[in-house]
PDB file of all heavy atoms in Angstrom:
ATOM      1  N   LEU B 932       7.635   9.947 -18.370  1.00  0.00           N
ATOM      2  CA  LEU B 932       6.696  10.844 -18.960  1.00  0.00           C
ATOM      3  C   LEU B 932       7.288  12.233 -19.228  1.00  0.00           C
ATOM      4  O   LEU B 932       7.929  12.807 -18.340  1.00  0.00           O
ATOM      5  CB  LEU B 932       5.465  10.945 -18.071  1.00  0.00           C
ATOM      6  CG  LEU B 932       4.335  11.870 -18.515  1.00  0.00           C
ATOM      7  CD1 LEU B 932       3.656  11.315 -19.785  1.00  0.00           C
ATOM      8  CD2 LEU B 932       3.274  12.028 -17.394  1.00  0.00           C
ATOM      9  N   THR B 933       7.036  12.801 -20.458  1.00  0.00           N
ATOM     10  CA  THR B 933       7.452  14.109 -20.774  1.00  0.00           C
ATOM     11  C   THR B 933       6.260  14.962 -21.149  1.00  0.00           C
ATOM     12  O   THR B 933       5.196  14.418 -21.398  1.00  0.00           O
ATOM     13  CB  THR B 933       8.416  14.148 -21.957  1.00  0.00           C
ATOM     14  OG1 THR B 933       7.758  13.632 -23.155  1.00  0.00           O
ATOM     15  CG2 THR B 933       9.661  13.279 -21.664  1.00  0.00           C
ATOM     16  N   LYS B 934       6.413  16.266 -21.212  1.00  0.00           N
ATOM     17  CA  LYS B 934       5.319  17.148 -21.626  1.00  0.00           C
ATOM     18  C   LYS B 934       4.820  16.828 -23.025  1.00  0.00           C
ATOM     19  O   LYS B 934       3.674  16.837 -23.338  1.00  0.00           O
ATOM     20  CB  LYS B 934       5.763  18.614 -21.538  1.00  0.00           C
ATOM     21  CG  LYS B 934       4.748  19.595 -21.972  1.00  0.00           C
ATOM     22  CD  LYS B 934       3.551  19.612 -21.128  1.00  0.00           C
ATOM     23  CE  LYS B 934       2.523  20.798 -21.352  1.00  0.00           C
ATOM     24  NZ  LYS B 934       1.883  20.764 -22.626  1.00  0.00           N
ATOM     25  N   GLN B 935       5.805  16.492 -23.919  1.00  0.00           N
ATOM     26  CA  GLN B 935       5.437  16.170 -25.280  1.00  0.00           C
ATOM     27  C   GLN B 935       4.548  14.892 -25.366  1.00  0.00           C
ATOM     28  O   GLN B 935       3.600  14.854 -26.194  1.00  0.00           O
ATOM     29  CB  GLN B 935       6.725  16.006 -26.163  1.00  0.00           C
ATOM     30  CG  GLN B 935       6.446  15.852 -27.628  1.00  0.00           C
ATOM     31  CD  GLN B 935       5.709  17.051 -28.243  1.00  0.00           C
ATOM     32  OE1 GLN B 935       6.240  18.204 -28.119  1.00  0.00           O
ATOM     33  NE2 GLN B 935       4.573  16.836 -28.887  1.00  0.00           N
ATOM     34  N   LEU B 936       4.915  13.926 -24.526  1.00  0.00           N
ATOM     35  CA  LEU B 936       4.133  12.717 -24.519  1.00  0.00           C
ATOM     36  C   LEU B 936       2.696  13.007 -24.024  1.00  0.00           C
ATOM     37  O   LEU B 936       1.727  12.417 -24.539  1.00  0.00           O
ATOM     38  CB  LEU B 936       4.779  11.661 -23.637  1.00  0.00           C
ATOM     39  CG  LEU B 936       6.054  11.002 -24.209  1.00  0.00           C
ATOM     40  CD1 LEU B 936       6.747  10.153 -23.212  1.00  0.00           C
ATOM     41  CD2 LEU B 936       5.654  10.123 -25.466  1.00  0.00           C
ATOM     42  N   LEU B 937       2.581  13.893 -23.066  1.00  0.00           N
ATOM     43  CA  LEU B 937       1.221  14.267 -22.605  1.00  0.00           C
ATOM     44  C   LEU B 937       0.468  15.024 -23.724  1.00  0.00           C
ATOM     45  O   LEU B 937      -0.684  14.714 -24.013  1.00  0.00           O
ATOM     46  CB  LEU B 937       1.330  15.218 -21.435  1.00  0.00           C
ATOM     47  CG  LEU B 937       1.523  14.593 -20.065  1.00  0.00           C
ATOM     48  CD1 LEU B 937       1.735  15.641 -18.967  1.00  0.00           C
ATOM     49  CD2 LEU B 937       0.379  13.678 -19.610  1.00  0.00           C
ATOM     50  N   ASP B 938       1.176  15.863 -24.424  1.00  0.00           N
ATOM     51  CA  ASP B 938       0.528  16.594 -25.587  1.00  0.00           C
ATOM     52  C   ASP B 938       0.115  15.628 -26.718  1.00  0.00           C
ATOM     53  O   ASP B 938      -0.892  15.880 -27.385  1.00  0.00           O
ATOM     54  CB  ASP B 938       1.502  17.670 -26.148  1.00  0.00           C
ATOM     55  CG  ASP B 938       1.789  18.820 -25.140  1.00  0.00           C
ATOM     56  OD1 ASP B 938       0.982  18.929 -24.207  1.00  0.00           O
ATOM     57  OD2 ASP B 938       2.729  19.561 -25.401  1.00  0.00           O
ATOM     58  N   ASP B 939       0.898  14.597 -26.896  1.00  0.00           N
ATOM     59  CA  ASP B 939       0.607  13.604 -27.938  1.00  0.00           C
ATOM     60  C   ASP B 939      -0.503  12.650 -27.557  1.00  0.00           C
ATOM     61  O   ASP B 939      -1.005  11.898 -28.395  1.00  0.00           O
ATOM     62  CB  ASP B 939       1.905  12.784 -28.204  1.00  0.00           C
ATOM     63  CG  ASP B 939       2.973  13.588 -28.878  1.00  0.00           C
ATOM     64  OD1 ASP B 939       2.667  14.749 -29.342  1.00  0.00           O
ATOM     65  OD2 ASP B 939       4.127  13.157 -28.885  1.00  0.00           O
ATOM     66  N   THR B 940      -0.894  12.635 -26.292  1.00  0.00           N
ATOM     67  CA  THR B 940      -1.953  11.742 -25.767  1.00  0.00           C
ATOM     68  C   THR B 940      -3.286  12.378 -26.039  1.00  0.00           C
ATOM     69  O   THR B 940      -3.519  13.511 -25.737  1.00  0.00           O
ATOM     70  CB  THR B 940      -1.786  11.457 -24.289  1.00  0.00           C
ATOM     71  OG1 THR B 940      -0.488  10.876 -24.091  1.00  0.00           O
ATOM     72  CG2 THR B 940      -2.849  10.510 -23.756  1.00  0.00           C
ATOM     73  N   ILE B 941      -4.189  11.555 -26.576  1.00  0.00           N
ATOM     74  CA  ILE B 941      -5.623  12.065 -26.875  1.00  0.00           C
ATOM     75  C   ILE B 941      -6.377  11.773 -25.607  1.00  0.00           C
ATOM     76  O   ILE B 941      -6.425  10.663 -25.016  1.00  0.00           O
ATOM     77  CB  ILE B 941      -6.186  11.362 -28.032  1.00  0.00           C
ATOM     78  CG1 ILE B 941      -5.448  11.680 -29.298  1.00  0.00           C
ATOM     79  CG2 ILE B 941      -7.676  11.672 -28.167  1.00  0.00           C
ATOM     80  CD1 ILE B 941      -5.821  10.896 -30.533  1.00  0.00           C
ATOM     81  N   GLY B 942      -7.040  12.828 -25.070  1.00  0.00           N
ATOM     82  CA  GLY B 942      -7.810  12.724 -23.867  1.00  0.00           C
ATOM     83  C   GLY B 942      -9.132  12.006 -24.031  1.00  0.00           C
ATOM     84  O   GLY B 942      -9.649  11.828 -25.174  1.00  0.00           O
ATOM     85  N   ILE B 943      -9.674  11.498 -22.947  1.00  0.00           N
ATOM     86  CA  ILE B 943     -10.988  10.924 -22.920  1.00  0.00           C
ATOM     87  C   ILE B 943     -11.977  12.015 -22.474  1.00  0.00           C
ATOM     88  O   ILE B 943     -11.776  12.601 -21.391  1.00  0.00           O
ATOM     89  CB  ILE B 943     -11.142   9.725 -21.947  1.00  0.00           C
ATOM     90  CG1 ILE B 943     -10.054   8.689 -22.258  1.00  0.00           C
ATOM     91  CG2 ILE B 943     -12.512   9.142 -21.844  1.00  0.00           C
ATOM     92  CD1 ILE B 943      -9.923   7.601 -21.216  1.00  0.00           C
ATOM     93  N   HIS B 944     -12.954  12.277 -23.367  1.00  0.00           N
ATOM     94  CA  HIS B 944     -13.876  13.396 -23.058  1.00  0.00           C
ATOM     95  C   HIS B 944     -15.312  12.926 -22.763  1.00  0.00           C
ATOM     96  O   HIS B 944     -15.766  12.047 -23.427  1.00  0.00           O
ATOM     97  CB  HIS B 944     -13.901  14.386 -24.279  1.00  0.00           C
ATOM     98  CG  HIS B 944     -14.668  15.600 -24.073  1.00  0.00           C
ATOM     99  ND1 HIS B 944     -14.266  16.571 -23.232  1.00  0.00           N
ATOM    100  CD2 HIS B 944     -15.865  16.075 -24.552  1.00  0.00           C
ATOM    101  CE1 HIS B 944     -15.106  17.577 -23.216  1.00  0.00           C
ATOM    102  NE2 HIS B 944     -16.093  17.265 -24.030  1.00  0.00           N
ATOM    103  N   PRO B 945     -15.954  13.389 -21.811  1.00  0.00           N
ATOM    104  CA  PRO B 945     -15.508  14.482 -20.844  1.00  0.00           C
ATOM    105  C   PRO B 945     -15.033  13.800 -19.537  1.00  0.00           C
ATOM    106  O   PRO B 945     -15.780  13.122 -18.890  1.00  0.00           O
ATOM    107  CB  PRO B 945     -16.795  15.281 -20.601  1.00  0.00           C
ATOM    108  CG  PRO B 945     -17.929  14.303 -20.825  1.00  0.00           C
ATOM    109  CD  PRO B 945     -17.409  13.227 -21.771  1.00  0.00           C
ATOM    110  N   THR B 946     -13.824  14.021 -19.160  1.00  0.00           N
ATOM    111  CA  THR B 946     -13.270  13.536 -17.913  1.00  0.00           C
ATOM    112  C   THR B 946     -12.414  14.657 -17.295  1.00  0.00           C
ATOM    113  O   THR B 946     -12.049  15.633 -17.937  1.00  0.00           O
ATOM    114  CB  THR B 946     -12.344  12.340 -18.124  1.00  0.00           C
ATOM    115  OG1 THR B 946     -11.229  12.696 -18.935  1.00  0.00           O
ATOM    116  CG2 THR B 946     -13.098  11.158 -18.777  1.00  0.00           C
ATOM    117  N   CYS B 947     -12.041  14.483 -16.028  1.00  0.00           N
ATOM    118  CA  CYS B 947     -11.128  15.389 -15.363  1.00  0.00           C
ATOM    119  C   CYS B 947      -9.679  15.162 -15.800  1.00  0.00           C
ATOM    120  O   CYS B 947      -8.883  16.060 -15.979  1.00  0.00           O
ATOM    121  CB  CYS B 947     -11.280  15.268 -13.854  1.00  0.00           C
ATOM    122  SG  CYS B 947     -12.815  15.793 -13.160  1.00  0.00           S
ATOM    123  N   GLY B 948      -9.376  13.871 -15.974  1.00  0.00           N
ATOM    124  CA  GLY B 948      -7.979  13.501 -16.321  1.00  0.00           C
ATOM    125  C   GLY B 948      -7.493  14.039 -17.671  1.00  0.00           C
ATOM    126  O   GLY B 948      -6.281  14.334 -17.861  1.00  0.00           O
ATOM    127  N   GLU B 949      -8.436  14.344 -18.552  1.00  0.00           N
ATOM    128  CA  GLU B 949      -8.026  14.837 -19.905  1.00  0.00           C
ATOM    129  C   GLU B 949      -7.399  16.211 -19.827  1.00  0.00           C
ATOM    130  O   GLU B 949      -6.636  16.578 -20.766  1.00  0.00           O
ATOM    131  CB  GLU B 949      -9.225  14.899 -20.848  1.00  0.00           C
ATOM    132  CG  GLU B 949     -10.265  15.948 -20.504  1.00  0.00           C
ATOM    133  CD  GLU B 949     -11.397  16.039 -21.596  1.00  0.00           C
ATOM    134  OE1 GLU B 949     -11.051  16.042 -22.749  1.00  0.00           O
ATOM    135  OE2 GLU B 949     -12.561  16.135 -21.162  1.00  0.00           O
ATOM    136  N   VAL B 950      -7.547  16.887 -18.747  1.00  0.00           N
ATOM    137  CA  VAL B 950      -6.975  18.267 -18.628  1.00  0.00           C
ATOM    138  C   VAL B 950      -5.468  18.224 -18.744  1.00  0.00           C
ATOM    139  O   VAL B 950      -4.864  19.160 -19.197  1.00  0.00           O
ATOM    140  CB  VAL B 950      -7.426  18.874 -17.270  1.00  0.00           C
ATOM    141  CG1 VAL B 950      -6.733  18.236 -16.142  1.00  0.00           C
ATOM    142  CG2 VAL B 950      -7.118  20.381 -17.281  1.00  0.00           C
ATOM    143  N   PHE B 951      -4.885  17.104 -18.390  1.00  0.00           N
ATOM    144  CA  PHE B 951      -3.428  16.996 -18.448  1.00  0.00           C
ATOM    145  C   PHE B 951      -2.893  16.831 -19.898  1.00  0.00           C
ATOM    146  O   PHE B 951      -1.696  16.914 -20.158  1.00  0.00           O
ATOM    147  CB  PHE B 951      -2.914  15.803 -17.589  1.00  0.00           C
ATOM    148  CG  PHE B 951      -2.997  16.138 -16.115  1.00  0.00           C
ATOM    149  CD1 PHE B 951      -4.060  15.724 -15.383  1.00  0.00           C
ATOM    150  CD2 PHE B 951      -2.008  16.894 -15.494  1.00  0.00           C
ATOM    151  CE1 PHE B 951      -4.137  15.997 -14.023  1.00  0.00           C
ATOM    152  CE2 PHE B 951      -2.119  17.177 -14.174  1.00  0.00           C
ATOM    153  CZ  PHE B 951      -3.188  16.782 -13.389  1.00  0.00           C
ATOM    154  N   THR B 952      -3.739  16.541 -20.832  1.00  0.00           N
ATOM    155  CA  THR B 952      -3.397  16.392 -22.250  1.00  0.00           C
ATOM    156  C   THR B 952      -3.502  17.704 -23.025  1.00  0.00           C
ATOM    157  O   THR B 952      -3.181  17.781 -24.166  1.00  0.00           O
ATOM    158  CB  THR B 952      -4.241  15.340 -22.955  1.00  0.00           C
ATOM    159  OG1 THR B 952      -5.595  15.790 -23.059  1.00  0.00           O
ATOM    160  CG2 THR B 952      -4.257  14.002 -22.122  1.00  0.00           C
ATOM    161  N   THR B 953      -3.960  18.722 -22.380  1.00  0.00           N
ATOM    162  CA  THR B 953      -4.201  20.001 -22.982  1.00  0.00           C
ATOM    163  C   THR B 953      -3.605  21.168 -22.219  1.00  0.00           C
ATOM    164  O   THR B 953      -4.011  22.349 -22.426  1.00  0.00           O
ATOM    165  CB  THR B 953      -5.716  20.269 -23.239  1.00  0.00           C
ATOM    166  OG1 THR B 953      -6.345  20.286 -21.936  1.00  0.00           O
ATOM    167  CG2 THR B 953      -6.342  19.267 -24.165  1.00  0.00           C
ATOM    168  N   LEU B 954      -2.653  20.895 -21.363  1.00  0.00           N
ATOM    169  CA  LEU B 954      -2.094  21.997 -20.587  1.00  0.00           C
ATOM    170  C   LEU B 954      -1.162  22.925 -21.515  1.00  0.00           C
ATOM    171  O   LEU B 954      -0.296  22.408 -22.185  1.00  0.00           O
ATOM    172  CB  LEU B 954      -1.151  21.429 -19.465  1.00  0.00           C
ATOM    173  CG  LEU B 954      -1.883  20.721 -18.311  1.00  0.00           C
ATOM    174  CD1 LEU B 954      -0.879  20.015 -17.400  1.00  0.00           C
ATOM    175  CD2 LEU B 954      -2.713  21.759 -17.511  1.00  0.00           C
ATOM    176  N   GLU B 955      -1.459  24.175 -21.434  1.00  0.00           N
ATOM    177  CA  GLU B 955      -0.802  25.127 -22.332  1.00  0.00           C
ATOM    178  C   GLU B 955      -0.131  26.286 -21.531  1.00  0.00           C
ATOM    179  O   GLU B 955       0.895  26.813 -21.908  1.00  0.00           O
ATOM    180  CB  GLU B 955      -1.748  25.685 -23.382  1.00  0.00           C
ATOM    181  CG  GLU B 955      -2.263  24.685 -24.378  1.00  0.00           C
ATOM    182  CD  GLU B 955      -3.247  25.313 -25.296  1.00  0.00           C
ATOM    183  OE1 GLU B 955      -3.709  26.417 -25.032  1.00  0.00           O
ATOM    184  OE2 GLU B 955      -3.626  24.637 -26.269  1.00  0.00           O
ATOM    185  N   ILE B 956      -0.762  26.735 -20.428  1.00  0.00           N
ATOM    186  CA  ILE B 956      -0.375  27.902 -19.737  1.00  0.00           C
ATOM    187  C   ILE B 956       0.730  27.609 -18.697  1.00  0.00           C
ATOM    188  O   ILE B 956       0.595  26.648 -17.869  1.00  0.00           O
ATOM    189  CB  ILE B 956      -1.590  28.627 -19.054  1.00  0.00           C
ATOM    190  CG1 ILE B 956      -2.579  28.989 -20.143  1.00  0.00           C
ATOM    191  CG2 ILE B 956      -1.091  29.902 -18.281  1.00  0.00           C
ATOM    192  CD1 ILE B 956      -3.884  29.628 -19.588  1.00  0.00           C
ATOM    193  N   THR B 957       1.805  28.326 -18.732  1.00  0.00           N
ATOM    194  CA  THR B 957       2.869  28.151 -17.766  1.00  0.00           C
ATOM    195  C   THR B 957       2.706  29.206 -16.656  1.00  0.00           C
ATOM    196  O   THR B 957       2.161  30.303 -16.904  1.00  0.00           O
ATOM    197  CB  THR B 957       4.236  28.329 -18.381  1.00  0.00           C
ATOM    198  OG1 THR B 957       4.446  29.674 -18.893  1.00  0.00           O
ATOM    199  CG2 THR B 957       4.439  27.361 -19.529  1.00  0.00           C
TER     200      THR B 957
END
Side-chain angles (χ1 to χ4, degrees):
L932 180 66
T933 64
K934 178 64 170 66
Q935 188 60 54
L936 286 169
L937 281 174
D938 293 343
D939 293 344
T940 301
I941 296 172
I943 302 170
H944 187 68
T946 63
C947 293
E949 69 175 316
V950 71
F951 287 97
T952 68
T953 57
L954 289 172
E955 295 176 348
I956 300 174
T957 64

